[in-house]
Amino acid sequence: MNRAQERSRARRAARTTSVWAFPVLGALVLAACSGGRTVEPLAPEVVAEQIADALQEEVGVRPVVACAEELEAEVGAEIVCDLSTEADPETIYPVTATVTAVDTDTGQVDFDVAVADAPEGSEGPTTSTEPTGTGTG
């Protein structure tokens, strides 16, 4: 092989290396940027579903849960939702969801669920802590 052929072969090899290096480098840059991303708030229906799932697993009966607002993806953020049963839809218990952890890599939001010991409008103890829920923002 002469020098011209060797140079041409070296140029082709360099081009091939460059083409493959760019996507790998791009993936590393994208992965680095996504690690610190902001996690979106959880939609009210997602929070309600997660609360109902957790309570059903705990007590064996699926409650009816309705949340009016989204749950911010910040540790300490909380919302109060309404909990009732199909058998007694008129009796509503406040249920509080409080964010305990946010994973910015996966977008997962963990929250604790506390159900009031007494229905809305009645005199009674404050709240008791119940199962933990998990949602994705």
Side-chain angles (χ1 to χ4, degrees), residues 1 15 23 25 35 40 42 61 85 92 94 103 111-112:
M1 189 180 313
R15 272 184 272 168
L25 179 60
E40 294 296 317
L42 297 176
V61 176
T85 64
I92 298 172
D103 186 332
F111 55 90
D112 283 341

PDB file of all heavy atoms in Angstrom, residues 1 15 23 25 35 40 42 61 85 92 94 103 111-112:
ATOM      1  N   MET A   1       0.852  -1.169   0.000  1.00  0.00           N
ATOM      2  CA  MET A   1       0.000   0.000   0.000  1.00  0.00           C
ATOM      3  C   MET A   1       0.897   1.230   0.000  1.00  0.00           C
ATOM      4  O   MET A   1       1.850   1.313   0.763  1.00  0.00           O
ATOM      5  CB  MET A   1      -0.868  -0.052   1.260  1.00  0.00           C
ATOM      6  CG  MET A   1      -1.917   0.983   1.249  1.00  0.00           C
ATOM      7  SD  MET A   1      -3.010   0.998   2.708  1.00  0.00           S
ATOM      8  CE  MET A   1      -3.482  -0.660   2.972  1.00  0.00           C
ATOM      9  N   ARG A  15     -12.951   9.621  10.354  1.00  0.00           N
ATOM     10  CA  ARG A  15     -14.347  10.003  10.176  1.00  0.00           C
ATOM     11  C   ARG A  15     -15.282   9.034  10.883  1.00  0.00           C
ATOM     12  O   ARG A  15     -16.226   9.427  11.527  1.00  0.00           O
ATOM     13  CB  ARG A  15     -14.699  10.063   8.686  1.00  0.00           C
ATOM     14  CG  ARG A  15     -14.411  11.420   8.099  1.00  0.00           C
ATOM     15  CD  ARG A  15     -14.850  11.472   6.701  1.00  0.00           C
ATOM     16  NE  ARG A  15     -13.695  10.980   5.945  1.00  0.00           N
ATOM     17  CZ  ARG A  15     -13.701  10.655   4.689  1.00  0.00           C
ATOM     18  NH1 ARG A  15     -14.797  10.720   3.991  1.00  0.00           N
ATOM     19  NH2 ARG A  15     -12.623  10.250   4.093  1.00  0.00           N
ATOM     20  N   PRO A  23     -22.632  10.724  19.014  1.00  0.00           N
ATOM     21  CA  PRO A  23     -23.827  10.267  19.719  1.00  0.00           C
ATOM     22  C   PRO A  23     -23.533   9.837  21.156  1.00  0.00           C
ATOM     23  O   PRO A  23     -24.320  10.087  22.049  1.00  0.00           O
ATOM     24  CB  PRO A  23     -24.310   9.078  18.885  1.00  0.00           C
ATOM     25  CG  PRO A  23     -23.763   9.321  17.538  1.00  0.00           C
ATOM     26  CD  PRO A  23     -22.439  10.005  17.769  1.00  0.00           C
ATOM     27  N   LEU A  25     -21.137  11.001  23.155  1.00  0.00           N
ATOM     28  CA  LEU A  25     -20.933  12.230  23.902  1.00  0.00           C
ATOM     29  C   LEU A  25     -22.268  12.935  24.116  1.00  0.00           C
ATOM     30  O   LEU A  25     -22.558  13.398  25.209  1.00  0.00           O
ATOM     31  CB  LEU A  25     -19.958  13.156  23.158  1.00  0.00           C
ATOM     32  CG  LEU A  25     -19.665  14.491  23.824  1.00  0.00           C
ATOM     33  CD1 LEU A  25     -19.059  14.273  25.208  1.00  0.00           C
ATOM     34  CD2 LEU A  25     -18.734  15.308  22.957  1.00  0.00           C
ATOM     35  N   GLY A  35     -30.222  14.711  35.135  1.00  0.00           N
ATOM     36  CA  GLY A  35     -30.064  14.350  36.527  1.00  0.00           C
ATOM     37  C   GLY A  35     -30.611  15.385  37.479  1.00  0.00           C
ATOM     38  O   GLY A  35     -31.090  15.060  38.547  1.00  0.00           O
ATOM     39  N   GLU A  40     -42.291  17.643  37.794  1.00  0.00           N
ATOM     40  CA  GLU A  40     -43.602  18.279  37.677  1.00  0.00           C
ATOM     41  C   GLU A  40     -44.494  17.881  38.859  1.00  0.00           C
ATOM     42  O   GLU A  40     -44.361  16.781  39.391  1.00  0.00           O
ATOM     43  CB  GLU A  40     -44.274  17.857  36.369  1.00  0.00           C
ATOM     44  CG  GLU A  40     -43.556  18.350  35.130  1.00  0.00           C
ATOM     45  CD  GLU A  40     -43.551  19.856  35.008  1.00  0.00           C
ATOM     46  OE1 GLU A  40     -44.597  20.483  35.264  1.00  0.00           O
ATOM     47  OE2 GLU A  40     -42.503  20.413  34.662  1.00  0.00           O
ATOM     48  N   LEU A  42     -47.736  16.447  40.868  1.00  0.00           N
ATOM     49  CA  LEU A  42     -48.607  15.307  40.582  1.00  0.00           C
ATOM     50  C   LEU A  42     -50.031  15.810  40.386  1.00  0.00           C
ATOM     51  O   LEU A  42     -50.545  16.592  41.191  1.00  0.00           O
ATOM     52  CB  LEU A  42     -48.575  14.315  41.738  1.00  0.00           C
ATOM     53  CG  LEU A  42     -47.231  13.651  42.022  1.00  0.00           C
ATOM     54  CD1 LEU A  42     -47.337  12.759  43.252  1.00  0.00           C
ATOM     55  CD2 LEU A  42     -46.760  12.854  40.828  1.00  0.00           C
ATOM     56  N   VAL A  61     -60.488  -2.572  51.441  1.00  0.00           N
ATOM     57  CA  VAL A  61     -61.642  -1.943  50.785  1.00  0.00           C
ATOM     58  C   VAL A  61     -61.146  -0.689  50.076  1.00  0.00           C
ATOM     59  O   VAL A  61     -60.395   0.105  50.649  1.00  0.00           O
ATOM     60  CB  VAL A  61     -62.729  -1.559  51.823  1.00  0.00           C
ATOM     61  CG1 VAL A  61     -63.877  -0.824  51.150  1.00  0.00           C
ATOM     62  CG2 VAL A  61     -63.218  -2.781  52.568  1.00  0.00           C
ATOM     63  N   THR A  85     -66.645   6.384  51.140  1.00  0.00           N
ATOM     64  CA  THR A  85     -66.816   5.019  50.638  1.00  0.00           C
ATOM     65  C   THR A  85     -68.044   4.983  49.753  1.00  0.00           C
ATOM     66  O   THR A  85     -68.918   5.848  49.846  1.00  0.00           O
ATOM     67  CB  THR A  85     -66.992   4.009  51.794  1.00  0.00           C
ATOM     68  OG1 THR A  85     -68.196   4.315  52.492  1.00  0.00           O
ATOM     69  CG2 THR A  85     -65.808   4.037  52.744  1.00  0.00           C
ATOM     70  N   ILE A  92     -67.572  12.223  54.719  1.00  0.00           N
ATOM     71  CA  ILE A  92     -66.288  12.543  54.085  1.00  0.00           C
ATOM     72  C   ILE A  92     -65.224  12.754  55.154  1.00  0.00           C
ATOM     73  O   ILE A  92     -65.408  13.538  56.093  1.00  0.00           O
ATOM     74  CB  ILE A  92     -66.420  13.801  53.209  1.00  0.00           C
ATOM     75  CG1 ILE A  92     -67.435  13.532  52.091  1.00  0.00           C
ATOM     76  CG2 ILE A  92     -65.070  14.209  52.643  1.00  0.00           C
ATOM     77  CD1 ILE A  92     -67.802  14.745  51.275  1.00  0.00           C
ATOM     78  N   PRO A  94     -61.275  13.953  55.783  1.00  0.00           N
ATOM     79  CA  PRO A  94     -60.118  14.604  55.172  1.00  0.00           C
ATOM     80  C   PRO A  94     -58.936  13.629  55.174  1.00  0.00           C
ATOM     81  O   PRO A  94     -58.729  12.900  56.150  1.00  0.00           O
ATOM     82  CB  PRO A  94     -59.832  15.789  56.100  1.00  0.00           C
ATOM     83  CG  PRO A  94     -61.063  15.959  56.934  1.00  0.00           C
ATOM     84  CD  PRO A  94     -61.693  14.606  57.020  1.00  0.00           C
ATOM     85  N   ASP A 103     -37.325  12.219  43.788  1.00  0.00           N
ATOM     86  CA  ASP A 103     -36.151  11.723  43.070  1.00  0.00           C
ATOM     87  C   ASP A 103     -36.115  12.413  41.705  1.00  0.00           C
ATOM     88  O   ASP A 103     -36.915  12.107  40.829  1.00  0.00           O
ATOM     89  CB  ASP A 103     -36.231  10.211  42.900  1.00  0.00           C
ATOM     90  CG  ASP A 103     -34.970   9.619  42.292  1.00  0.00           C
ATOM     91  OD1 ASP A 103     -34.272  10.324  41.525  1.00  0.00           O
ATOM     92  OD2 ASP A 103     -34.687   8.446  42.565  1.00  0.00           O
ATOM     93  N   PHE A 111     -45.000  10.107  49.043  1.00  0.00           N
ATOM     94  CA  PHE A 111     -45.745  10.901  50.004  1.00  0.00           C
ATOM     95  C   PHE A 111     -46.411  10.007  51.041  1.00  0.00           C
ATOM     96  O   PHE A 111     -46.713   8.849  50.780  1.00  0.00           O
ATOM     97  CB  PHE A 111     -46.783  11.804  49.331  1.00  0.00           C
ATOM     98  CG  PHE A 111     -47.758  11.104  48.429  1.00  0.00           C
ATOM     99  CD1 PHE A 111     -48.958  10.610  48.921  1.00  0.00           C
ATOM    100  CD2 PHE A 111     -47.493  10.964  47.083  1.00  0.00           C
ATOM    101  CE1 PHE A 111     -49.866   9.982  48.090  1.00  0.00           C
ATOM    102  CE2 PHE A 111     -48.399  10.336  46.239  1.00  0.00           C
ATOM    103  CZ  PHE A 111     -49.588   9.835  46.744  1.00  0.00           C
ATOM    104  N   ASP A 112     -46.571  10.545  52.237  1.00  0.00           N
ATOM    105  CA  ASP A 112     -47.289   9.869  53.303  1.00  0.00           C
ATOM    106  C   ASP A 112     -48.745  10.270  53.226  1.00  0.00           C
ATOM    107  O   ASP A 112     -49.076  11.364  52.773  1.00  0.00           O
ATOM    108  CB  ASP A 112     -46.739  10.263  54.679  1.00  0.00           C
ATOM    109  CG  ASP A 112     -45.425   9.576  55.005  1.00  0.00           C
ATOM    110  OD1 ASP A 112     -45.113   8.547  54.373  1.00  0.00           O
ATOM    111  OD2 ASP A 112     -44.718  10.068  55.897  1.00  0.00           O
TER     112      ASP A 112
END
